Amino acid sequence: MTKMTLGSYPHMLGFEQLERLLERTAKGSEGYPPFNIEQTSDHSYRITLAVAGFAETDLSITVEDRQLVIRGRQSDDGDGRIFLHRGIAARQFQRSFVLAEGVEVGEAVMENGLLHVDLTRAQAETIVQTIRIKATHGKETS
């Protein structure tokens, strides 16, 4: 069976980058930390990550090449402590979310072990462009 790509569709011009984004996103889908994505209005979203045990200073949020990247790195504060069982490890993570054109990252808030990141999508204007057709009258010589 042949793999269909966006380039296989002759009416889909200039979508090669979208295909690369989809492939890159599919590769980085580990399960930690768990997250929710909710639509909060017609033009806004909220991503919520369960980051219990992380302080605000342990987290970073960046936008890189139309990707929202959330990283977490806990400092190991176990100096001088003796654990009989250690089930809560200082674990680092990186979560990436591909942002569509026009989606902007807004506020980020920590609340009860949850990190909320708000996103808004600008409403696209409908633009109608008329292309003038030039008429040529016979062959021109140089």
Side-chain angles (χ1 to χ4, degrees):
M1 177 174 270
T2 305
K3 178 183 172 188
M4 297 297 286
T5 63
L6 291 176
S8 304
Y9 297 94
H11 299 16
M12 303 284 286
L13 302 174
F15 285 93
E16 297 82 14
Q17 184 179 12
L18 176 61
E19 188 168 18
R20 286 191 297 271
L21 281 172
L22 290 172
E23 288 176 3
R24 187 170 60 189
T25 302
K27 289 178 185 175
S29 59
E30 88 171 44
Y32 180 78
F35 66 94
N36 292 337
I37 300 175
E38 61 183 297
Q39 185 169 359
T40 53
S41 76
D42 287 343
H43 303 287
S44 62
Y45 309 92
R46 173 173 270 190
I47 298 172
T48 301
L49 283 85
V51 292
F54 286 85
E56 290 88 349
T57 56
D58 297 332
L59 301 169
S60 72
I61 302 171
T62 58
V63 177
E64 306 168 11
D65 190 27
R66 289 187 24 214
Q67 279 196 77
L68 171 65
V69 180
I70 303 170
R71 293 180 180 92
R73 173 179 232 130
Q74 290 178 309
S75 57
D76 189 6
D77 62 352
D79 297 334
R81 295 166 49 185
I82 299 171
F83 290 95
L84 299 178
H85 171 76
R86 187 161 187 177
I88 303 172
R91 185 174 177 186
Q92 62 183 1
F93 70 87
Q94 176 175 313
R95 272 275 184 209
S96 298
F97 302 90
V98 177
L99 302 176
E101 191 72 37
V103 173
E104 297 293 326
V105 179
E107 185 176 59
V109 177
M110 284 279 286
E111 177 183 42
N112 299 324
L114 299 173
L115 174 65
H116 303 288
V117 180
D118 292 324
L119 309 170
T120 56
R121 182 183 60 200
Q123 290 182 313
E125 296 178 26
T126 302
I127 299 172
V128 176
Q129 182 179 5
T130 303
I131 309 301
R132 214 170 122 207
I133 301 171
K134 293 182 181 181
T136 59
H137 302 286
K139 291 185 178 180
E140 294 183 20
T141 59
S142 311

